[in-house]
Amino acid sequence: MRVVYRAWILMAALMVLVLGGCGGFEKPEEGPTSATGQGKGVPAKKPERIYSMQIGHSQPVDNPRHQSFLLFKKLLEEKTDGGIQVDIYPAGQLGSEASMLEQVCDGTIQGFRGGQLEIVPKMLVFSLPFLCEDRTQAERLVNSEFAREISMDSLKSGATILGIGDAGGFRQFSNSVRMIRGPEDLRGLKMRSNGMDTINKTLEALGAEVMTVPYNDLYMALKAGTIDGQENPWVNSSGMRFYEVQKYFTEVNYQFHPEPFYVNTRWYESLPPEYQEILAECTEEMMKENNRLIDENEVQAMENIRANAEIYTLSREERQAFVEATQVVYEEYMDNGLLTMDDLARMKRIIRGEEK
């Protein structure tokens, strides 16, 4: 009887070991939660391939351009579960804007945002003087079907435009010689341009001597007196501390600059279709954030400048004198074929909200 009892105990122990080995009483471990917000217990999806995205731009790190790029990086890396890794190089670390655009076209870097429009010359028509009067009008224009049609020209140079934003808000004049209240006050002033044709032609129409200076060299050129003045949005002028080397600022709101986000086409087309869709979504969110930050920072930027220099705001009649003095720029663009009467009429319909 004692032998039978011992045999039964041994068999029971063996059964416990067998069942335990099968894991029947083990609680399964929870897998990690993915960056796209999958629930508990669902393992994070590991991308089969990691794509590197190096992006350059010319603005300092406290500028809306860089701040909105930080949002872009966060969203893109989260939504691709790390499948695209973004490195941002601000403040001209990778060279001038012209150089960075060239680097995108040849594939040295994958992305660039800025006011360089050389590979889409038709887009210059968006920066014609006094074309738009406020942000709503400008946003209608750069988000229109007309803008998408024009953007296709960049493909010839090896770059794809994912979206168009605001390069910093409407542009103003400043100088260290005299206050600018009328077109005649610009005559003879050595005014800096970034080389954009519409800036050059507008300043020339107003009688200024145009000098091209890279953005990141502009502060020292103003300080040294190599040039008398410059034109930039309030946010840029404040962020670059131009008020330290400029005495007179005029609120003229003469020009809006479209800011395309260029990516290398070969790189973009190598991405899985779902990554291309995510890029488009993140670009849209980035541009909204950029424009929001510009509006938010513009008042403070003006106050920073006002505390260190004089600001003059044109009356409606004074501004109209500038409008009339720069109509020659429209005529020149029609003469060179970049603008037609139909284009101008279409843009005005878009600006008024009568066409998408």
Side-chain angles (χ1 to χ4, degrees):
M1 186 71 179
R2 186 177 297 173
V3 172
V4 172
Y5 179 74
R6 287 178 178 174
W8 184 86
I9 293 294
L10 179 61
M11 288 179 65
L14 286 171
M15 289 296 292
V16 170
L17 287 172
V18 169
L19 290 172
C22 292
F25 298 102
E26 293 285 337
K27 182 180 179 181
E29 293 184 2
E30 291 184 346
T33 302
S34 83
T36 53
Q38 293 175 329
K40 290 182 179 180
V42 182
K45 179 183 177 183
K46 292 185 178 180
E48 296 179 0
R49 175 180 172 184
I50 305 295
Y51 294 86
S52 175
M53 188 177 195
Q54 296 178 309
I55 297 171
H57 70 87
S58 64
Q59 295 290 2
V61 296
D62 58 351
N63 186 273
R65 185 181 300 173
H66 185 73
Q67 293 298 311
S68 61
F69 259 137
L70 294 180
L71 175 64
F72 173 83
K73 170 182 168 69
K74 177 178 180 292
L75 293 176
L76 186 59
E77 291 180 348
E78 285 180 352
K79 291 187 176 187
T80 61
D81 289 305
I84 299 179
Q85 291 293 313
V86 180
D87 293 306
I88 307 167
Y89 298 88
Q93 292 179 34
L94 302 182
S96 67
E97 290 202 339
S99 172
M100 285 186 278
L101 178 54
E102 185 177 340
Q103 290 173 60
V104 168
C105 292
D106 65 25
T108 305
I109 61 176
Q110 289 72 49
F112 161 71
R113 250 176 73 198
Q116 294 297 123
L117 304 176
E118 284 73 10
I119 64 173
V120 278
K122 180 80 171 178
M123 200 175 288
L124 283 168
V125 299
F126 294 163
S127 63
L128 286 165
F130 304 101
L131 178 64
C132 299
E133 293 199 359
D134 55 42
R135 170 173 298 291
T136 300
Q137 293 183 353
E139 287 187 355
R140 285 174 184 158
L141 193 56
V142 299
N143 292 318
S144 66
E145 183 60 32
F146 184 52
R148 284 186 282 275
E149 292 169 9
I150 292 174
S151 295
M152 298 302 290
D153 283 349
S154 70
L155 297 174
K156 302 171 188 174
S157 300
T160 296
I161 295 176
L162 292 184
I164 305 172
D166 178 352
F170 282 87
R171 302 177 79 87
Q172 323 298 344
F173 296 141
S174 76
N175 79 103
S176 56
V177 178
R178 55 180 172 265
M179 185 60 77
I180 296 170
R181 294 182 173 86
E184 64 280 359
D185 293 321
L186 276 119
R187 289 176 193 154
L189 291 182
K190 292 179 288 185
M191 294 290 289
R192 177 262 181 181
S193 167
N194 65 1
M196 183 182 285
D197 190 63
T198 48
I199 296 177
N200 294 350
K201 283 185 166 51
T202 299
L203 292 174
E204 289 168 357
L206 296 171
E209 180 183 346
V210 181
M211 302 181 70
T212 302
V213 178
Y215 186 70
N216 292 297
D217 297 334
L218 179 52
Y219 181 95
M220 291 308 298
L222 292 168
K223 184 175 182 179
T226 307
I227 52 177
D228 298 319
Q230 58 91 42
E231 55 76 57
N232 255 297
W234 294 121
V235 171
N236 292 8
S237 289
S238 177
M240 295 294 281
R241 305 177 72 89
F242 293 148
Y243 52 77
E244 295 179 344
V245 289
Q246 297 276 269
K247 185 176 180 180
Y248 307 105
F249 286 78
T250 299
E251 185 176 23
V252 60
N253 295 330
Y254 89 97
Q255 192 183 48
F256 165 87
H257 280 192
E259 183 178 277
F261 180 31
Y262 300 97
V263 297
N264 177 264
T265 299
R266 289 192 305 274
W267 176 82
Y268 175 71
E269 292 181 346
S270 74
L271 299 175
E274 61 268 26
Y275 280 13
Q276 294 180 8
E277 291 179 13
I278 291 171
L279 262 173
E281 294 169 5
C282 294
T283 298
E284 183 177 353
E285 291 304 313
M286 172 177 65
M287 294 307 189
K288 289 179 181 177
E289 177 70 357
N290 177 75
N291 296 350
R292 183 189 71 79
L293 287 171
I294 288 171
D295 288 344
E296 182 180 284
N297 295 347
E298 197 167 66
V299 173
Q300 184 59 54
M302 284 187 70
E303 291 309 308
N304 290 344
I305 293 170
R306 196 184 305 276
N308 295 275
E310 295 180 42
I311 295 179
Y312 183 78
T313 299
L314 298 179
S315 68
R316 195 166 191 83
E317 293 74 18
E318 288 170 330
R319 188 173 185 271
Q320 184 59 31
F322 282 91
V323 172
E324 293 171 4
T326 54
Q327 285 306 298
V328 63
V329 181
Y330 287 78
E331 296 169 8
E332 290 182 34
Y333 266 68
M334 288 183 182
D335 289 342
N336 66 26
L338 279 178
L339 179 70
T340 67
M341 290 298 294
D342 286 343
D343 288 337
L344 185 56
R346 186 178 181 185
M347 287 194 294
K348 288 185 175 180
R349 288 197 300 272
I350 293 167
I351 288 168
R352 292 193 299 265
E354 298 169 1
E355 180 178 329
K356 297 292 186 182

